Amino acid sequence: VLAAPEQTIPVNLLELVPNVRLVGTCSTGYDNLPAVELSAQGVMCLHVKSYCDEEVAEHTVTLAANLLRGVAHLDGFVREGGWWPYPREPRRLAGSRLGIIGFGRIGRLVAIQGDALRMEVVAYDDFVDEATMQSLGSEDNFGLIATGAHNVAVRAVNDRKLEAGDLVIGEITPC
């Protein structure tokens, strides 16, 4: 069975089609598949592992640059007739701290692009050991505390503190 991202595969798939042995989705994750339940029933689940990773990383860095430079905010200011003085000064990308929470495929691509823009890249990921983080050129100096789906706080580790205006990007990585 091959499913598009907008198609949801039911948990009782084997009751409906008993000979199914493989279910694939044309997406990067398993959001539309009950993968745990199907796997427990002997059905292999597949997805397109790195589809659009580059595009997502580029879009992430673009949005980060927009926030730092204030592109959307200043665009609105000019469209309303403003020009000078700016309501807020655009910040430079070079030298800005880029915090990445989640250092999977996309997080690592974001780090490469942030590094190319001469940003100070720092990252945190519970599932990536410190030696790997350092070999990839990132400091591991963020801690993540998550309580519930909507309660996320960032704390400093290794005597580093977040400063006003630091940019933190989070990535949700499925198990």
Side-chain angles (χ1 to χ4, degrees):
V1 174
L2 182 60
E6 66 275 2
Q7 297 171 315
T8 302
I9 299 296
V11 176
N12 67 337
L13 178 67
L14 287 178
E15 293 173 20
L16 304 170
V17 190
N19 293 327
V20 170
R21 296 292 170 252
L22 176 73
V23 175
T25 180
C26 302
S27 62
T28 59
Y30 295 107
D31 296 348
N32 59 330
L33 304 182
V36 172
E37 293 86 351
L38 290 174
S39 294
Q41 298 174 47
V43 176
M44 182 182 290
C45 296
L46 302 174
H47 64 105
V48 185
K49 185 175 180 178
S50 57
Y51 175 74
C52 281
D53 286 356
E54 290 281 346
E55 291 82 353
V56 172
E58 287 173 6
H59 191 68
T60 300
V61 172
T62 299
L63 293 174
N66 174 39
L67 289 172
L68 287 171
R69 299 295 301 161
V71 174
H73 185 222
L74 293 174
D75 176 65
F77 176 68
V78 170
R79 288 177 188 269
E80 291 173 3
W83 186 254
W84 186 264
Y86 295 143
R88 80 172 201 47
E89 286 292 318
R91 292 185 54 203
R92 291 183 177 178
L93 297 178
S96 293
R97 183 175 300 139
L98 175 63
I100 304 168
I101 300 175
F103 211 54
R105 295 181 317 271
I106 295 169
R108 292 173 193 199
L109 291 170
V110 169
I112 290 167
Q113 293 180 24
D115 189 52
L117 293 169
R118 298 180 302 144
M119 299 177 86
E120 177 192 350
V121 177
V122 291
Y124 175 80
D125 193 319
D126 264 343
F127 302 102
V128 180
D129 62 85
E130 192 171 338
T132 302
M133 297 286 275
Q134 289 174 350
S135 73
L136 295 167
S138 182
E139 300 177 51
D140 180 4
N141 63 0
F142 280 107
L144 175 66
I145 304 168
T147 309
H150 305 321
N151 241 344
V152 179
V154 178
R155 65 177 169 81
V157 179
N158 299 336
D159 298 319
R160 295 290 303 266
K161 295 189 190 291
L162 288 174
E163 298 168 10
D166 284 351
L167 184 63
V168 178
I169 296 173
E171 175 187 74
I172 299 171
T173 307
C175 299

